[in-house]
Amino acid sequence: MNAAERFRAAIEAGDFDAAVEEFTDDIRFFSPVKFTPFEGIDTVRALFRVLQRTFEDFRYVGDFTGEGRTPDGESTRAHVLHFRTVVDGKQVEGIDLIHLDAHDRITTFTVMIRPLSSLQAVSEAIHRGLVQDGVLPG
């Protein structure tokens, strides 16, 4: 199993801590609502704590693998995990785009969500959670 597959298995088992262990220390998490990425393992770990309690009935429904380029233009192995979940009563569909480094660790993680109304619900719920956890100022 590679890092993307271990990540998926951990998320599906509800073990977000094990999932985060697949990230490099300098992980960059590209959010669909924030122009600049969340950077670093501590920040991304805090974000995943919020995601764990925000997403209801989260499930992966498909996956695709191949080659891709990181945001820096570096060629890498890429995995796309198609997901569905519910946030604040809204049906959410999206993909997690995962890039692996040469050491089989996740270096970049990009989330894309549809439709817009669901993206707005996710954004508001995550912002609330990050404020509640003291990651962002109130």
Side-chain angles (χ1 to χ4, degrees), residues 19-54:
V20 170
E21 289 302 314
E22 298 301 328
F23 296 150
T24 58
D25 288 343
D26 61 349
I27 181 75
R28 290 185 303 162
F29 182 98
F30 291 88
S31 161
V33 297
K34 189 174 178 288
F35 185 74
T36 58
F38 291 93
E39 295 184 288
I41 191 65
D42 293 335
T43 301
V44 174
R45 181 178 284 117
L47 175 63
F48 267 76
R49 283 189 198 111
V50 173
L51 294 174
Q52 183 174 17
R53 64 179 192 261
T54 300

Side-chain angles (χ1 to χ4, degrees), residues 36-79:
T36 58
F38 291 93
E39 295 184 288
I41 191 65
D42 293 335
T43 301
V44 174
R45 181 178 284 117
L47 175 63
F48 267 76
R49 283 189 198 111
V50 173
L51 294 174
Q52 183 174 17
R53 64 179 192 261
T54 300
F55 291 161
E56 303 166 37
D57 188 29
F58 184 92
R59 64 212 176 281
Y60 284 114
V61 296
D63 59 81
F64 310 90
T65 61
E67 295 295 315
R69 294 205 178 271
T70 67
D72 300 325
E74 186 178 317
S75 183
T76 184
R77 290 179 295 148
H79 298 263

Side-chain angles (χ1 to χ4, degrees), residues 57-127:
D57 188 29
F58 184 92
R59 64 212 176 281
Y60 284 114
V61 296
D63 59 81
F64 310 90
T65 61
E67 295 295 315
R69 294 205 178 271
T70 67
D72 300 325
E74 186 178 317
S75 183
T76 184
R77 290 179 295 148
H79 298 263
V80 176
L81 302 177
H82 180 198
F83 68 84
R84 292 195 179 108
T85 190
V86 176
V87 174
D88 291 342
K90 293 264 188 204
Q91 296 291 321
V92 178
E93 181 177 32
I95 61 167
D96 293 334
L97 173 59
I98 296 171
H99 291 120
L100 304 178
D101 68 9
H103 305 289
D104 192 36
R105 302 284 308 281
I106 299 171
T107 60
T108 62
F109 194 102
T110 303
V111 178
M112 298 178 209
I113 292 176
R114 65 159 301 278
L116 179 59
S117 60
S118 294
L119 175 60
Q120 291 166 328
V122 169
S123 175
E124 292 166 8
I126 291 173
H127 185 265

